[in-house]
């Protein structure tokens, strides 16, 4: 008998034991006795209460055969167990499963690779069976530990090593499938299990040769590929695990990834780390993406003292994760992402400047290398900020633009949430440049329907402040941000480079009719834009790129925002820029003066063709033609060459080289333009932005000053008992003399000059000048003998409006006028 007992004893044995004994042949090579296996299966199905005893007896036999190395009988026993599991689905199967798992555990504990693979295959078959009711008391701690250990097999035979690793991965996959379907049986998601499962899968995934080919959604490898390649199988198991993760256990599945990457130093280089997180972001449910981003941000905080390349590697991973998350749900982490990144930007600058200060006077290779590594960190942060922002919806992008702009440090302001007080001027400038570069990337591709949405007042004011700073790179970045927001029809590429365009129609400029919102915007904020272009042209450190960007700014305003009123303002601005170069009150270098002249020529050439007034185009073309012959350094094609001969002075140049206001007014007036305002010279608005940007204020106070200059003749006397002096006039005009009222009045005047349109200010100044004339006529009721020639002049300055000096004649001032 197969059991080795006599016939009488065998007849007295329980029927289930006899049926089990009968399935084992005398020679294990003959395999399972199929006929007797069918009888055993029928008996088990007919009497399910006997299943637990059948399982216990099979387990007993299998344990004995394993110890005696009778592996043939072991294979038969496991085959029988598999068939019974597949055939029996009843409440009584649970005790049988316990015996089955005990036998699988015996096989996995053995040192024989074939038995380990056999036990794994049986467990996988069991894992694919859907039980009628789950067994909550059953735990798989041993199987998790054993399968994870098999994933790290280091057998000296490569084929056996691969076979065991594949078995371990398939075992983990079986455990996952068996446990994650029921929410009440979530022990697999406990950290002690995830800390074994996830690193085991990642360890095998590292063997993928072409990392970049595995970054997309899950593929469907063939059966042969899955059996032969542990890396592919591990990746698919990892995807399956993450795909089953829920809100409560997502973090437990992601945190071991950081531990594995830290332990194996896989952040530098970070190709595998990037691949892992791409797999994670593609595998998890979209609504849980913000969990992963939060974990990356938290790990970045933990590793903030690590080497620059490690931090750059983590930030690069964040960039890839954000790129995927931004296309779906990113939850409440938008501002958290930007806040954390900006904090690490400040930390990186602090490290860079700290190393520079500590190595002052000794330029070692290691220090310079560390500085360049910190630049890598900073560039990675900027790319992440920009990419994240550019993929957000428009309403969120507007908030992020405001958020970043609020972080830009301004000299003299200590209330910034991004503290740079300890970084000094150099560190503050570095932060300013990098934040503006981030803002530039965020605004890239942003196209608002109305310009008020792209440039709201709370954003426009702080954005334009850096454009007055004494740093050409900062001003360039501000202008580029403005271009991103103003250019709603992608015309900027057609305007690249400052030049005289022969035929603007060849550019095929795209534009729409100016909307009412845009007209309203220019009425409210047009003077701000003009002011910053005007002041930007007066900077001594301007280079060619600055002039190119200023030219593009004028051209984009013309295309996107210009109606007839704005066109007149732009011409006044261009003439004022020309006056900057000619009069040169700011003592600009000759290159800057010629650069401004070239800028004006290029812009008026563009503007004249855009509005298509023939007489205007003729005047502009004639001036440009004359310049090309007599003063080519006034044209952009010449002045911005590497070697250009600059003139020694501009005072001797003829008027035919300049654009003349009267000629322009005459040409536009004939085409129906209202040209009265062209006779009013452009003067920038008075604001206090200069103080915030470390420039001297153009006008510290707004006041009306009346100066009577003494005459040249000593014989001139005033027949009056009361001496007329400046103080007397001032006292007569401001006869209240109360200090508090004077301060309040001055504050109101300053506020009005900051916010009111230029035309309103000019009208009020004219009214006040007339009132001044009346007051003077009342006070000075006397006769002044006429000098041989006008002996005195009066100069009246009100705010930013400077009026010409007028002679003071002998009479009761009937002809006194203010221009």
């Amino acid at each position: 008998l197969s059991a080795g007992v006599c016939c009488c004893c065998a007849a007295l044995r329980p029927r289930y034991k006899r049926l089990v004994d009968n399935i084992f042949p005398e020679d294990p090579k003959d395999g399972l006795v199929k006929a007797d296996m069918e009888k055993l299966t029928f008996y088990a199905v007919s009497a399910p209460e006997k299943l637990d005893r059948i399982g216990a007896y099979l387990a007993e036999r299998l344990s004995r055969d394993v110890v005696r190395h009778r592996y043939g009988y072991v294979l038969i026993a496991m085959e029988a167990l598999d068939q019974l599991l597949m055939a029996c689905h009843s409440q009584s199967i649970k005790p049988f499963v316990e015996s089955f798992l005990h036998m699988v555990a015996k096989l996995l504990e053995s040192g024989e690779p074939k038995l380990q693979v056999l036990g794994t295959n049986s467990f996988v078959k069991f894992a694919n069976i859907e039980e009628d009711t789950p067994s909550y008391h059953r735990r798989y701690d041993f199987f998790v530990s054993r399968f994870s250990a098999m994933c790290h097999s280091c057998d000296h035979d490569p084929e056996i090593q691969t076979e065991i690793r594949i078995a371990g991965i398939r075992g983990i996959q079986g455990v996952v499938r068996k446990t994650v379907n029921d929410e009440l049986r979530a022990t697999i998601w406990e950290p002690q299990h995830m800390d074994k499962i996830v690193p085991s899968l990642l360890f095998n995934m590292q063997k993928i040769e072409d990392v970049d080919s595995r970054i997309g959604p899950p593929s469907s490898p063939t059966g042969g590929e899955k059996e032969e390649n542990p890396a592919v199988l591990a990746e698919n198991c990892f995807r399956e695990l993450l795909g089953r993760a829920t809100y409560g256990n997502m973090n437990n599945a992601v945190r071991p990834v950081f531990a594995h990457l830290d332990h194996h130093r896989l952040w530098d280089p970070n190709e595998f780390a990037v691949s892992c997180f791409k797999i994670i972001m593609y595998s998890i449910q979209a609504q849980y993406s913000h969990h992963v981003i939060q974990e990356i941000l938290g790990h970045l905080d933990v590793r903030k003292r690590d080497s620059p390349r490690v931090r750059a590697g983590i930030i690069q991973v964040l960039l890839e994760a954000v790129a995927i998350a931004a296309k779906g749900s990113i939850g409440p982490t938008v501002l958290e992402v930007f806040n954390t990144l900006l904090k690490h930007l400040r930390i990186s600058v602090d490290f860079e400047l700290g190393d520079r200060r500590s190595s002052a006077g000794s330029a070692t290779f290691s220090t310079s290398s560390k500085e360049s590594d910190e630049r890598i960190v900073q560039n990675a942060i900027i790319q992440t900020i920009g990419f994240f922002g550019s993929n957000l919806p428009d309403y969120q992008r507007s908030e992020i633009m405001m958020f970043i702009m609020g972080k830009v440090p301004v000299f003299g302001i200590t209330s910034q949430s991004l503290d740079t007080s300890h970084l000094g001027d150099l560190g503050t400038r570095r932060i300013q440049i990098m934040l503006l570069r981030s803002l530039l990337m965020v605004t890239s591709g942003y196209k608002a329907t109305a310009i008020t949405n792209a440039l709201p007042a709370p954003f426009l004011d702080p954005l334009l402040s850096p454009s007055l700073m004494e740093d050409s790179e900062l001003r360039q970045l501000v202008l580029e941000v403005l271009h991103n927001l103003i250019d709603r029809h992608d015309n900027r590429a057609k305007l690249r480079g400052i030049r005289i365009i022969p035929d603007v129609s060849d550019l095929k400029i795209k534009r729409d009719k100016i909307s009412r919102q845009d007209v309203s915007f220019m009425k409210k904020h047009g003077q701000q834009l003009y002011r910053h272009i005007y002041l930007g042209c007066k900077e001594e450190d301007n280079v060619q790129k600055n002039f190119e960007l200023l030219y593009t700014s004028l051209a984009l305003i013309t295309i996107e925002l210009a109606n007839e009123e704005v066109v007149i303002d732009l011409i006044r601005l261009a003439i004022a820029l020309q006056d900057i170069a000619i009069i040169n009150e700011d003592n600009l270098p000759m290159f800057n003066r010629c650069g401004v002249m070239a800028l004006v020529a290029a812009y008026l050439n563009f503007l004249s063709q855009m509005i298509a007034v023939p007489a205007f185009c003729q005047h502009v073309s004639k001036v440009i033609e004359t310049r090309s012959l007599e003063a080519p350094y006034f044209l952009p094609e010449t002045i911005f060459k590497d070697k250009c001969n600059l003139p020694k002075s501009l005072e001797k140049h003829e008027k035919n080289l300049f654009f003349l206001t009267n000629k322009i007014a005459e040409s536009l007036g004939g085409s129906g333009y209202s040209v009265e305002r062209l006779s009013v010279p452009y003067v920038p608005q008075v604001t206090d932005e200069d103080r915030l940007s470390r420039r001297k204020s153009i006008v510290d106070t707004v006041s009306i000053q009346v100066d009577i200059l003494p005459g040249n003749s000593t014989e001139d006397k005033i027949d009056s008992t009361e001496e007329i002096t400046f103080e007397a006039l001032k006292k007569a005009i401001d006869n209240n003399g109360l200090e508090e009222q004077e301060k309040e009045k001055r504050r109101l005047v300053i506020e009005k000059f900051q916010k009111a349109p230029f035309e309103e200010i000019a009208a009020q100044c004219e009214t006040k000048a007339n009132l001044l004339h009346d007051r003077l006529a009342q006070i000075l009721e006397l006769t002044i003998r006429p000098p041989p020639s006008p002996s005195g002049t009066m100069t009246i300055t009100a705010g930013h409006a400077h009026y010409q000096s007028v002679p003071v004649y002998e009479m009761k001032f009937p002809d006194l006028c203010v221009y």
Side-chain angles (χ1 to χ4, degrees):
L1 296 176
S2 59
V5 295
C6 65
C7 294
C8 295
C9 294
L12 298 176
R13 292 168 65 81
R15 186 181 178 188
Y16 74 89
K17 286 190 177 182
R18 296 199 306 270
L19 292 173
V20 170
D21 290 338
N22 291 337
I23 66 173
F24 291 93
E26 293 184 6
D27 187 355
K29 294 182 180 179
D30 295 336
L32 182 68
V33 180
K34 294 183 179 180
D36 291 324
M37 186 64 218
E38 291 177 0
K39 295 178 182 178
L40 177 62
T41 302
F42 178 78
Y43 176 77
V45 173
S46 303
E49 68 276 4
K50 299 293 185 180
L51 269 174
D52 59 333
R53 299 183 184 182
I54 295 174
Y57 185 60
L58 275 171
E60 179 185 343
R61 287 199 55 139
L62 182 136
S63 298
R64 184 171 63 245
D65 291 335
V66 169
V67 172
R68 295 176 180 178
H69 301 285
R70 292 162 44 169
Y71 298 137
Y73 288 119
V74 171
L75 295 175
I76 294 173
M78 291 307 301
E79 185 178 353
L81 283 169
D82 293 341
Q83 292 190 26
L84 288 173
L85 277 175
M86 301 298 293
C88 301
H89 295 280
S90 67
Q91 297 290 339
S92 302
I93 198 175
K94 301 207 180 323
F96 175 75
V97 170
E98 297 300 327
S99 299
F100 168 79
L101 293 178
H102 176 70
M103 286 183 281
V104 172
K106 283 289 185 181
L107 295 179
L108 296 178
E109 286 179 329
S110 69
E112 182 62 36
K114 291 183 179 180
L115 296 185
Q116 293 179 2
V117 173
L118 177 63
T120 300
N121 293 337
S122 295
F123 182 85
V124 171
K125 292 177 183 177
F126 161 71
N128 292 327
I129 297 175
E130 295 185 6
E131 300 180 53
D132 295 336
T133 56
S135 178
Y136 301 118
H137 71 278
R138 190 186 303 153
R139 297 185 65 87
Y140 296 91
D141 299 12
F142 167 79
F143 295 99
V144 170
S145 299
R146 189 58 196 157
F147 287 137
S148 299
M150 291 169 64
C151 290
H152 292 83
S153 173
C154 296
D155 195 280
H156 63 278
D157 188 340
E159 293 185 1
I160 295 177
Q161 180 188 102
T162 300
E163 189 177 12
I164 295 176
R165 287 188 179 185
I166 289 176
I169 296 169
R170 295 181 66 239
I172 289 177
Q173 195 171 30
V175 173
V176 171
R177 290 175 179 175
K178 197 64 179 175
T179 57
V180 299
N181 291 330
D182 199 311
E183 294 182 1
L184 297 178
R185 189 172 54 200
T187 56
I188 191 66
W189 296 107
E190 294 177 357
Q192 63 265 31
H193 298 320
M194 287 290 105
D195 290 344
K196 297 173 184 175
I197 292 175
V198 174
S200 300
L201 297 176
L202 296 178
F203 176 76
N204 286 276
M205 287 167 59
Q206 286 179 248
K207 304 301 178 182
I208 297 179
E209 295 181 1
D210 187 5
V211 175
D212 295 333
S213 66
R214 312 295 302 175
I215 60 177
S219 57
S220 299
T222 61
E225 183 184 10
K226 292 176 68 175
E227 293 295 335
E228 295 176 0
N229 193 340
V232 175
L233 184 61
E235 181 183 323
N236 283 277
C237 182
F238 188 51
R239 291 180 186 270
E240 184 178 349
L241 174 69
L242 294 168
R244 296 173 182 267
T246 60
Y247 179 84
N249 48 47
M250 172 60 65
N251 292 343
N252 289 342
V254 174
R255 286 171 185 166
V257 178
F258 294 104
H260 179 82
L261 297 175
D262 289 343
H263 180 71
H264 292 277
R265 300 180 180 178
L266 296 174
W267 295 112
D268 177 31
N270 68 338
E271 286 81 2
F272 180 71
V274 170
S275 174
C276 283
F277 278 92
K278 284 187 175 182
I279 291 172
I280 292 172
M281 297 303 293
Y282 279 120
S283 301
I284 62 175
Q285 300 179 49
Q287 64 266 30
Y288 303 146
S289 297
H290 63 279
H291 280 284
V292 181
I293 295 176
Q294 284 176 326
E295 290 297 320
I296 300 175
L297 292 173
H299 196 68
L300 182 60
D301 286 336
V302 172
R303 304 296 300 270
K304 64 182 179 182
R305 297 291 177 183
D306 279 31
S307 67
R309 290 189 174 273
V310 168
R311 286 182 281 127
I314 299 174
I315 294 168
Q316 180 67 27
V317 166
L318 177 64
L319 171 62
E320 300 294 342
V322 157
I324 300 171
K327 300 174 183 177
S329 172
I330 51 177
T333 58
V334 176
L335 291 181
E336 182 183 353
V337 170
F338 287 99
N339 198 38
T340 302
L341 290 174
L342 294 179
K343 179 180 68 176
H344 283 277
L345 187 64
R346 181 191 58 79
I347 292 173
S348 177
V349 173
D350 195 9
F351 284 161
E352 178 186 357
L353 297 180
D355 294 335
R356 185 177 299 176
R357 287 190 292 265
S358 63
S359 61
S362 58
T364 60
F365 175 79
S366 60
T367 300
S368 60
S369 176
K370 192 169 184 180
E371 285 184 11
S372 62
D373 289 345
E374 289 295 345
R375 295 293 178 94
I376 295 175
V377 175
Q378 295 159 16
N379 289 332
I381 293 174
I382 292 171
Q383 288 180 354
T384 305
I385 291 175
F387 194 87
F388 194 6
S390 62
N391 281 277
L392 291 175
D394 286 347
Y395 72 93
Q396 281 188 323
R397 203 191 304 200
S398 299
E399 295 177 0
I400 296 306
M401 288 158 50
M402 297 283 291
F403 180 77
I404 296 177
M405 202 64 241
K407 295 287 186 179
V408 177
V410 179
F411 292 109
I413 300 296
T414 58
S415 61
Q416 295 291 324
S417 54
L418 190 65
D419 183 22
T420 59
S421 56
H422 67 287
L423 296 179
D425 291 353
L426 180 60
T428 301
R429 177 186 175 275
R430 290 279 299 147
I431 292 290
Q432 289 171 334
I433 288 177
M434 286 183 285
L435 288 179
L436 288 175
R437 286 175 57 194
S438 304
L439 186 62
L440 180 62
M441 295 190 68
V442 171
T443 56
S444 177
Y446 180 57
K447 292 180 176 60
T449 53
I451 197 66
T452 51
N453 297 333
L455 289 171
F459 176 74
L460 181 62
D461 294 337
L463 173 65
L464 293 180
S465 292
S467 71
L468 300 180
M469 293 182 180
E470 297 175 349
D471 188 291
S472 61
E473 187 176 359
L474 281 173
R475 300 196 302 274
Q476 292 171 13
L477 290 171
V478 171
L479 290 173
E480 288 179 309
V481 171
L482 271 177
H483 297 170
N484 281 345
L485 297 174
I486 294 176
D487 184 20
R488 291 171 288 178
H489 296 87
D490 297 323
N491 291 312
R492 185 173 27 161
K494 304 171 185 177
L495 301 169
R496 185 172 291 119
I498 180 171
R499 64 195 187 281
I500 303 297
I501 303 173
D503 190 352
V504 173
S505 61
D506 292 340
L507 300 181
K508 297 181 180 180
I509 299 292
K510 297 178 182 178
R511 63 186 306 190
D512 293 330
K513 186 178 180 181
I514 309 301
S515 65
R516 294 178 61 184
Q517 294 92 331
D518 293 345
V519 172
S520 176
F521 173 84
M522 289 304 292
K523 286 184 177 180
K524 292 180 180 179
H525 304 291
Q527 295 297 328
Q528 283 180 272
L529 298 176
Y530 306 150
R531 161 188 167 81
H532 287 270
I533 293 174
Y534 179 85
L535 297 179
C537 290
K538 297 174 69 173
E539 297 291 344
E540 292 188 9
D541 61 341
N542 280 341
V543 294
Q544 180 178 350
K545 185 175 181 180
N546 291 89
F547 290 111
E548 290 178 353
L549 294 173
L550 289 166
Y551 162 75
T552 305
S553 301
L554 290 167
L556 289 176
I557 292 173
T558 304
I559 296 170
E560 297 286 348
L561 303 169
N563 55 10
E564 288 190 8
E565 183 178 350
V566 174
V567 167
I568 297 299
D569 286 337
L570 289 170
I571 294 175
R572 291 174 55 220
L573 174 60
I575 297 302
L577 293 177
Q578 181 178 254
D579 291 342
I580 288 176
I582 297 174
I583 302 173
N584 197 27
E585 293 179 350
D586 298 283
N587 295 320
L588 294 176
M590 185 57 68
F591 170 79
N592 294 64
R593 297 172 68 184
C594 293
V596 171
M597 297 289 282
L599 166 65
V600 173
Y603 173 64
L604 288 181
N605 173 71
F606 176 82
L607 176 64
S608 63
Q609 296 186 57
M610 287 296 294
I611 64 177
V613 176
F616 185 25
C617 293
Q618 185 178 1
H619 171 64
V620 173
S621 300
K622 185 176 181 181
V623 172
I624 292 175
E625 184 180 354
T626 305
R627 287 185 178 186
S628 63
L629 297 175
E630 301 179 14
Y633 38 78
F634 284 169
L635 298 177
E637 289 83 355
T638 302
I639 186 60
F640 296 125
K641 287 182 179 179
D642 293 337
K643 295 181 180 180
C644 174
N645 295 324
L646 298 175
K648 295 182 179 180
S649 66
L650 303 183
E651 286 71 17
K652 297 181 180 180
H653 286 78
E654 299 295 334
K655 286 186 177 182
N656 57 1
L657 294 175
F658 306 136
F659 301 98
L660 303 178
T661 305
N662 59 344
K663 293 282 188 180
I664 296 175
E666 181 181 347
S667 61
L668 293 179
S671 297
Y673 281 82
S674 178
V675 296
E676 291 80 8
R677 289 169 50 245
L678 280 178
S679 60
V680 181
Y682 170 79
V683 179
Q685 274 188 339
V686 177
T687 70
D688 62 349
E689 289 177 348
D690 300 310
R691 177 179 60 82
L692 299 180
S693 56
R694 273 199 165 179
R695 293 169 55 98
K696 296 179 180 179
S697 285
I698 298 176
V699 178
D700 293 331
T701 59
V702 180
S703 61
I704 297 178
Q705 298 177 352
V706 180
D707 296 331
I708 297 181
L709 303 179
N712 296 327
S713 173
T714 58
E715 298 179 356
D716 296 336
K717 294 183 180 180
I718 300 176
D719 297 336
S720 175
T721 57
E722 179 181 2
E723 183 181 2
I724 300 176
T725 64
F726 172 80
E727 293 298 327
L729 289 175
K730 182 178 179 182
K731 183 177 180 181
I733 294 171
D734 188 11
N735 49 23
N736 54 31
L738 298 177
E739 185 177 354
E740 293 298 328
Q741 293 182 3
E742 185 177 334
K743 288 183 179 179
E744 178 65 16
K745 188 175 180 181
R746 185 173 301 168
R747 186 188 67 79
L748 293 174
V749 172
I750 291 175
E751 184 177 350
K752 179 175 292 186
F753 271 83
Q754 288 177 341
K755 299 180 179 180
F758 173 79
E759 290 75 14
E760 181 182 340
I761 296 173
Q764 286 193 350
C765 288
E766 184 176 359
T767 302
K768 289 184 178 180
N770 292 333
L771 291 176
L772 178 61
H773 161 259
D774 296 338
R775 297 289 298 274
L776 288 173
Q778 293 173 8
I779 296 170
L780 305 179
E781 289 286 347
L782 50 92
T783 302
I784 302 177
R785 294 183 181 180
S789 62
S791 58
T793 59
M794 177 181 293
T795 303
I796 298 177
T797 305
H800 59 268
H802 181 79
Y803 300 93
Q804 296 178 355
S805 299
V806 296
V808 181
Y809 290 99
E810 173 196 55
M811 54 180 57
K812 295 182 180 180
F813 295 93
D815 299 328
L816 178 63
C817 351
V818 180
Y819 294 89

